[in-house]
Amino acid sequence: MVVISDILVQTVQMALVLVLSPLLTGFVRKAKARLLRRQGPSIFQPYRDLLRLMRKEVVLADNASWLFRVTPYLIFAATWVAAALVPTFATGLLFSWTADLIAIVALLGSGRFFLALAGMDVGTSFGGIGSSREVMIAALAEPAMLMIVFCLALVAGSTQLSAVATFMASPTVGLRVSLAMAMIALIMVAIAENGRIPVDNPATHLELTMVHEAMVLEYSGRHLAMIEFAASLKLLLYASLIVCVFVPWKLAILGAGPMAYVVSAGLYLAKLALAGFLLALFETATAKMRVFRVPEFLGAALMLGLLGTLLLFVSRSM
């Protein structure tokens, strides 16, 4: 009976991230439109877009290889697994032993690798430009993310997310400058990894600025639906990761009971709504930077993660 309950709770979490990811994307778009004094689309519009794309026929280039066809499903699977590993409303779930920060970074990196290959597979100029820019961003975003992981591991004594969330929710953490640096660095990496302003604009198709959209221009139908779904899952993943690590209050413990799960899930939705509104507010008040300034942006994130780690080393050695 206990095993069945654990499996049920884990299944609910996996389904929750799948259902909420398009809703978060729609909420951010709606909030941006309202902040710009426009009506904007419904928050449920991403669901309609995904259904419309799933019903459309797939159009493939004559020289598209098997990699081009398989990549959307690989990206979706890797992103879904990574998003499902992040604790949303409960810790200590059935698969929590696999919810390691380094494993999540590896899953996201594998999805980025295949997307960059698929962008170059057909041989279009847009795909090559987008892939080269994506690799340039990844070359700085992944080291910054690893420095953030090391900083959190030094504080919590583990890279396992349930252990990190439990430690961060305890009163022994206190206010630490190193954690503040790690949080700012994680937010900067999340903005870059999701192609949000000021790094990229997901609503543009201007060849001089686009990064992610340039790699997926040749996709259509269900393939494009899988990629768009994976992009929404990635946004939810980073929002959940920030909430889980730095705002872990009221996370239910496995076996706490249905009422604790409901309360924790409600607070998780509120935290996601706040994160989505802050993202919309930031994008509304910020202009997109030039592509060649992106290394400076991610270099600052890398330095913040490195400084946070060094501060912890110095404080422990004293």
Side-chain angles (χ1 to χ4, degrees):
M1 188 65 183
V2 175
V3 176
I4 295 176
S5 176
D6 293 350
I7 294 175
L8 181 62
V9 175
Q10 182 68 67
T11 304
V12 168
Q13 169 155 307
M14 295 182 69
L16 186 65
V17 296
L18 201 63
V19 172
L20 287 182
S21 55
L23 186 63
L24 178 61
T25 302
F27 178 77
V28 173
R29 293 176 184 173
K30 185 71 172 181
K32 286 179 65 176
R34 298 304 296 173
L35 288 171
L36 294 172
R37 297 179 178 238
R38 295 188 287 108
Q39 182 65 29
S42 168
I43 61 174
F44 301 106
Q45 186 61 40
Y47 296 102
R48 302 189 187 106
D49 294 340
L50 291 175
L51 291 175
R52 175 175 53 84
L53 288 172
M54 290 297 291
R55 290 196 296 264
K56 284 192 172 184
E57 181 183 358
V58 175
V59 179
L60 292 172
D62 294 334
N63 59 337
S65 68
W66 62 270
L67 179 66
F68 189 82
R69 298 176 175 87
V70 172
T71 293
Y73 304 103
L74 292 176
I75 295 172
F76 175 78
T79 311
W80 185 19
V81 170
L85 292 179
V86 180
T88 55
F89 63 91
T91 60
L93 298 181
L94 187 63
F95 297 150
S96 63
W97 60 274
T98 61
D100 191 273
L101 281 167
I102 298 178
I104 291 173
V105 173
L107 284 170
L108 294 176
S110 64
R112 184 189 303 108
F113 171 75
F114 282 106
L115 183 59
L117 286 182
M120 297 184 293
D121 183 73
V122 180
T124 61
S125 58
F126 282 165
I129 290 172
S131 297
S132 63
R133 290 174 177 175
E134 181 72 11
V135 172
M136 177 194 70
I137 293 173
L140 292 170
E142 288 186 0
M145 189 66 188
L146 288 175
M147 292 309 304
I148 297 166
V149 171
F150 295 153
C151 182
L152 294 174
L154 286 173
V155 173
S158 174
T159 57
Q160 206 268 341
L161 271 173
S162 290
V164 172
T166 303
F167 179 82
M168 295 292 286
S170 64
T172 59
V173 178
L175 296 176
R176 303 194 186 193
V177 178
S178 56
L179 289 179
M181 290 180 176
M183 182 179 69
I184 296 172
L186 181 57
I187 292 172
M188 295 172 73
V189 170
I191 290 172
E193 289 276 46
N194 286 280
R196 311 298 303 195
I197 295 174
V199 175
D200 191 15
N201 188 356
T204 185
H205 283 83
L206 182 63
E207 64 271 14
L208 294 176
T209 61
M210 61 182 177
V211 179
H212 178 267
E213 295 297 322
M215 294 183 291
V216 302
L217 280 178
E218 296 299 320
Y219 280 108
S220 61
R222 64 179 180 274
H223 291 165
L224 183 58
M226 290 291 100
I227 292 176
E228 294 295 333
F229 209 161
S232 297
L233 278 168
K234 196 173 184 180
L235 179 62
L236 180 74
L237 184 154
Y238 274 99
S240 301
L241 187 61
I242 294 170
V243 166
C244 166
V245 174
F246 297 103
V247 197
W249 305 299
K250 299 298 182 182
L251 269 177
I253 302 174
L254 185 64
M259 193 61 192
Y261 290 148
V262 171
V263 173
S264 181
L267 288 174
Y268 172 68
L269 292 177
K271 293 173 186 176
L272 277 186
L274 179 60
F277 176 76
L278 291 176
L279 175 61
L281 183 63
F282 176 77
E283 289 190 332
T284 305
T286 308
K288 186 189 178 302
M289 66 175 64
R290 296 178 60 194
V291 175
F292 297 108
R293 291 192 60 191
V294 173
E296 299 176 9
F297 181 82
L298 288 173
L302 178 60
M303 287 298 102
L304 284 172
L306 180 60
L307 285 174
T309 306
L310 290 177
L311 278 176
L312 288 172
F313 272 120
V314 171
S315 62
R316 288 194 174 191
S317 61
M318 292 179 63

